[in-house]
Amino acid sequence: MYVLGALSPEERDAYERHLAGCAECQAEVAEFGDLPELLGKLDPGVASWAGPSAVPPSSPSSSSSSSDLSWAGPSVAPSPADASGVDPLLPRVLDRARRSRRTERRRRRWQTAGTALVAACLGVLAVLGVRSAGLGQPDFVAMQEVAATVPVTASLAIEGLDDGTLVRMRCAYKPGGGYGKWTYKLYVVPKSGEPEELDSWTAGAGDEYELKAHSQYRRDNIQKIEIRGADGTPLLALDA
């Protein structure tokens, strides 16, 4: 009755006060919200005037005032099978309203799922694009030679962490030259404190080597990072 607008102003106000705190009634109103629109699409030839809702007087001499009559609205003319007085169209209209509501809910679920899938694909493409462009990769800086004979070239990427510093290194060893196999060590030289050996390795002419090591010293306390030979001689250095 509320959805069809058949309540009096007082009844409507009372029902709306109840509706504000009743989830079950809110769901019912939402489910049948399309009912007035569906009723409006009925063939006018099917509907007939039901007349006043007041019970007619029993004799011609009886009378009733216009205030005793009220609008009953359109009604489908009953067929012989409708002796009970039940409107045969109403169940079909209600069923159509339910189907329409279920279809709308499915459409919204698919729309939400499709939006999430598109967002996920865009996220993957963005990550791939960043990687292909080289963005977000460590910024490697070439180390400088500090000895007369240096058989290796190297670059470093330094990243400050809460518990120290992450050092990434890439090395390449000069081909030929009779250098043979050398042992190398990576050192962090702090502004205050003792030098810290991060790693050691052995490589020869034409080799390439990469490593990632963690220093206990914070980024702002590192003076420089060195690659040293087995005897401790600095070969390459990078001021931090």
Side-chain angles (χ1 to χ4, degrees):
M1 298 294 286
Y2 174 76
V3 173
L4 295 176
L7 297 179
S8 68
E10 294 79 8
E11 291 173 331
R12 182 180 182 88
D13 291 342
Y15 184 75
E16 287 181 345
R17 287 194 297 271
H18 166 76
L19 187 64
C22 182
E24 183 176 355
C25 289
Q26 292 171 8
E28 289 291 333
V29 170
E31 182 175 1
F32 294 106
D34 296 335
L35 189 57
E37 180 181 356
L38 293 174
L39 290 175
K41 295 179 180 179
L42 293 177
D43 185 353
V46 178
S48 63
W49 167 252
S53 61
V55 178
S58 56
S59 65
S61 60
S62 300
S63 63
S64 67
S65 65
S66 60
S67 61
D68 295 330
L69 306 179
S70 62
W71 164 258
S75 174
V76 177
S79 64
D82 296 326
S84 62
V86 176
D87 186 342
L89 185 61
L90 183 58
R92 295 199 299 274
V93 172
L94 295 179
D95 183 61
R96 182 175 177 184
R98 293 190 184 98
R99 290 200 306 271
S100 176
R101 182 63 59 182
R102 287 196 295 269
T103 301
E104 178 66 15
R105 284 198 293 264
R106 286 196 297 269
R107 185 190 67 80
R108 290 178 180 176
R109 284 198 295 268
W110 277 109
Q111 185 178 39
T112 301
T115 301
L117 180 59
V118 170
C121 291
L122 290 177
V124 171
L125 291 176
V127 171
L128 293 177
V130 167
R131 289 180 178 176
S132 64
L135 301 177
Q137 298 298 313
D139 186 14
F140 282 85
V141 180
M143 302 182 74
Q144 302 299 313
E145 296 183 1
V146 293
T149 302
V150 181
V152 62
T153 61
S155 59
L156 300 178
I158 305 171
E159 179 184 353
L161 304 174
D162 292 338
D163 60 345
T165 303
L166 180 64
V167 179
R168 294 181 175 90
M169 183 196 71
R170 295 174 178 170
C171 286
Y173 300 86
K174 299 176 182 179
Y179 293 118
K181 290 286 186 179
W182 282 44
T183 297
Y184 302 90
K185 297 180 180 181
L186 184 65
Y187 273 86
V188 168
V189 180
K191 296 176 183 177
S192 61
E194 296 295 323
E196 177 187 16
E197 180 180 336
L198 298 184
D199 205 344
S200 64
W201 66 97
T202 301
D207 291 343
E208 293 183 358
Y209 186 76
E210 294 186 10
L211 67 79
K212 181 169 64 175
H214 180 271
S215 172
Q216 63 177 331
Y217 293 113
R218 293 178 61 86
R219 178 74 174 81
D220 56 7
N221 189 37
I222 295 178
Q223 180 180 353
K224 60 183 177 179
I225 299 176
E226 296 178 335
I227 292 180
R228 300 179 181 181
D231 61 356
T233 301
L235 302 175
L236 298 170
L238 178 66
D239 293 334

